[in-house]
Amino acid sequence: MNDTVSDKVHIDQGRQQKIAGISSVLGSTIEWYDFFLYGTMAAIIFPQLFFPQQDPYVATLLTFSTYAVGYVARPIGGILFGHFGDKIGRKVSLVATLILMGSMTLLIGLLPGYEKIGLWAPVLVTILRFLQGIAIGGEWPGSVLISMEWGTKKNRGFMATLPQIGVPLGLILGTAVTSLFITISGESFQTWGWRVPFILSILLVIIGLVVRFNLLETPSFQKALKEKEIPKLPFVSVFKHYPKQVISGVLSNVSSDIAFGVFAFYTTTYGIKYLALDKSIFVNATLIGAIVAVFAISLSGYFCDKINPKKILGFGNILLILWALPYFYLLNTKSTAFIFIAVIIAFVIHSIMWAPLAPVIASSFPAHLRFSGSAITFMFRGLIGGGVAPLVSTYLLNKFDSGYAISWYIIFAGIIALFAIRYVDIKYQKAD
């Protein structure tokens, strides 16, 4: 009889592990599709749509400022959803983040431009972007934890990296849909074509919700709840008892977000505005790079259970430092082939860093504070990293009139990360 019960538990664990993995990848893909779609449109059309009375440089700065607002909101979302994720459960928070992100993305797609409602257009798009950021603030840590905590000691590192695959998948989906409607709508892209990718998001949200409703709470959270370890204000406990984990986690991973902000988003603006090349070259290069990244993240995630994730993270930062200067050299050739090579290699290097980021951050905190700790660390990293990367890149290019200035910005971030990795503590990786 005990064997039967044991088998049943094992089967349920295996089933939940599969559902958790699928849910994490799917939910993460949807959330990042919504989030990155804004970044793509910010590079292509939003300066003309929401800031048409500004000169091109100012319009680009203002557009990327609204992009950065999403990152400013992330820590708020991390604290908010982290509180409920540690108090009520991972599942409830994940359902809420998906609904919030999908609703805001739909409203962006329905928002009138500056020509129709004047200043209300940039004001409203900024508010919607802010609420998107709050949703991402709860989505990433929730997805990582629901997947990692349903994993076993043998595959926990890989399970934690599954939501990371949602980033390139979301970028692929967003870029592909944008490219499709650029082709379909033609000259009408500025009037209605850009709206369709945002509106279609609601269909993805419905699919994601169906999967998430089949999830159960993780054993780690149930154990913490049973043992009454949950504090009244989890985020306060994180700052009080685990400041080292937060600081080292932020600084050791900030370079990956800066790199992604440059590689995935600012490169398109650089190519269009500075190199005067067709936007399709960079949209397609980003699409191919994101496809390659899906496999690179999976491979890097696999080795997180074979090698200490800190070593993989450090190796990725070394590669980033070495590639920063050649990256802009290849872009400046204006050769389509070299541009594709530069972007694809950049995405592979970012993938090597991106996969171990999840287990490194999540495993730095005990179960009863893991949601809040992971959320706070990841979101503050994004705020000082990817959130300002396009803005800083725009400023550096305008001041120095050279992409190499951006290269040194990336190199500086990589050096800081290498130093901070030494202080990362992941002792909770297989503890519960």
Side-chain angles (χ1 to χ4, degrees):
M1 185 173 182
N2 289 336
D3 291 339
T4 303
V5 174
S6 177
D7 290 342
K8 185 178 186 301
V9 171
H10 177 72
I11 292 171
D12 289 344
Q13 167 92 17
R15 180 174 182 273
Q16 281 300 310
Q17 189 177 114
K18 291 177 182 178
I19 295 175
I22 294 171
S23 170
S24 295
V25 174
L26 181 60
S28 179
T29 299
I30 296 168
E31 294 271 356
W32 289 110
Y33 165 81
D34 292 349
F35 200 76
F36 290 153
L37 190 59
Y38 188 99
T40 302
M41 295 301 180
I44 295 176
I45 194 172
F46 279 4
Q48 299 83 22
L49 190 65
F50 293 110
F51 307 98
Q53 295 185 351
Q54 308 295 334
D55 68 63
Y57 170 61
V58 175
T60 301
L61 276 178
L62 290 173
T63 299
F64 281 129
S65 294
T66 62
Y67 173 77
V69 161
Y71 283 84
V72 173
R74 284 187 183 189
I76 299 173
I79 292 173
L80 176 65
F81 287 108
H83 176 82
F84 292 109
D86 282 328
K87 297 277 286 186
I88 301 174
R90 307 351 183 174
K91 176 180 175 177
V92 175
S93 294
L94 283 173
V95 169
T97 59
L98 198 55
I99 293 174
L100 179 60
M101 176 62 89
S103 301
M104 296 307 102
T105 304
L106 175 63
L107 290 176
I108 290 175
L110 299 174
L111 189 65
Y114 186 92
E115 292 182 359
K116 291 189 176 182
I117 60 174
L119 288 174
W120 278 108
V123 169
L124 290 175
V125 78
T126 301
I127 292 173
L128 295 175
R129 180 61 175 176
F130 184 84
L131 292 172
Q132 273 193 330
I134 287 179
I136 281 289
E139 170 62 31
W140 182 86
S143 291
V144 169
L145 299 195
I146 204 80
S147 185
M148 184 181 83
E149 291 179 350
W150 271 113
T152 65
K153 291 184 178 181
K154 291 183 178 180
N155 68 357
R156 220 174 179 203
F158 175 72
M159 290 293 291
T161 65
L162 286 179
Q164 305 297 75
I165 298 174
V167 173
L169 287 178
L171 188 59
I172 290 168
L173 193 58
T175 304
V177 172
T178 300
S179 182
L180 175 64
F181 280 94
I182 286 175
T183 303
I184 292 176
S185 60
E187 295 181 357
S188 299
F189 183 74
Q190 188 162 339
T191 56
W192 64 267
W194 72 270
R195 299 181 181 276
V196 182
F198 286 95
I199 296 172
L200 287 176
S201 171
I202 199 66
L203 300 177
L204 298 174
V205 170
I206 293 172
I207 297 172
L209 287 174
V210 170
V211 176
R212 286 196 167 169
F213 279 130
N214 285 295
L215 271 174
L216 297 177
E217 279 300 343
T218 68
S220 295
F221 174 76
Q222 292 181 36
K223 180 182 177 182
L225 195 63
K226 183 179 180 181
E227 296 176 355
K228 298 180 180 180
E229 293 182 341
I230 312 300
K232 290 183 178 181
L233 294 173
F235 75 94
V236 173
S237 295
V238 168
F239 284 119
K240 182 178 180 180
H241 300 292
Y242 299 95
K244 175 189 171 185
Q245 283 82 347
V246 172
I247 295 172
S248 62
V250 168
L251 296 181
S252 63
N253 290 287
V254 70
S255 57
S256 66
D257 219 42
I258 289 174
F260 194 78
V262 174
F263 297 153
F265 296 119
Y266 190 74
T267 293
T268 301
T269 299
Y270 181 80
I272 297 172
K273 305 288 186 183
Y274 188 74
L275 300 180
L277 297 174
D278 188 85
K279 61 178 175 287
S280 63
I281 296 174
F282 297 91
V283 170
N284 292 330
T286 300
L287 180 60
I288 300 301
I291 292 173
V292 173
V294 173
F295 299 97
I297 290 173
S298 300
L299 186 61
S300 182
Y302 169 79
F303 281 106
C304 282
D305 288 307
K306 310 295 181 182
I307 305 172
N308 190 317
K310 288 172 55 176
K311 293 183 179 180
I312 299 175
L313 185 61
F315 177 64
N317 273 282
I318 292 172
L319 294 178
L320 178 67
I321 291 170
L322 294 175
W323 188 243
L325 289 170
Y327 179 74
F328 277 95
Y329 173 80
L330 292 176
L331 293 185
N332 291 340
T333 65
K334 297 187 178 182
S335 163
T336 300
F338 284 149
I339 289 172
F340 270 69
I341 291 171
V343 171
I344 291 171
I345 292 177
F347 268 80
V348 170
I349 292 173
H350 177 264
S351 299
I352 294 172
M353 296 186 293
W354 183 242
L357 179 153
V360 164
I361 291 179
S363 300
S364 296
F365 302 93
H368 67 287
L369 293 174
R370 189 169 290 148
F371 202 124
S372 295
S374 299
I376 290 168
T377 303
F378 184 77
M379 301 316 152
F380 275 106
R381 156 203 163 276
L383 177 60
I384 66 174
V388 298
L391 276 173
V392 173
S393 298
T394 301
Y395 168 78
L396 290 174
L397 183 62
N398 185 69
K399 182 174 179 61
F400 297 100
D401 193 31
S402 172
Y404 294 121
I406 304 173
S407 295
W408 287 109
Y409 170 46
I410 295 173
I411 290 171
F412 178 69
I415 292 172
I416 290 177
L418 283 177
F419 177 78
I421 288 171
R422 300 167 55 196
Y423 299 94
V424 170
D425 184 2
I426 56 174
K427 63 183 178 181
Y428 299 106
Q429 185 178 11
K430 297 181 180 180
D432 52 32

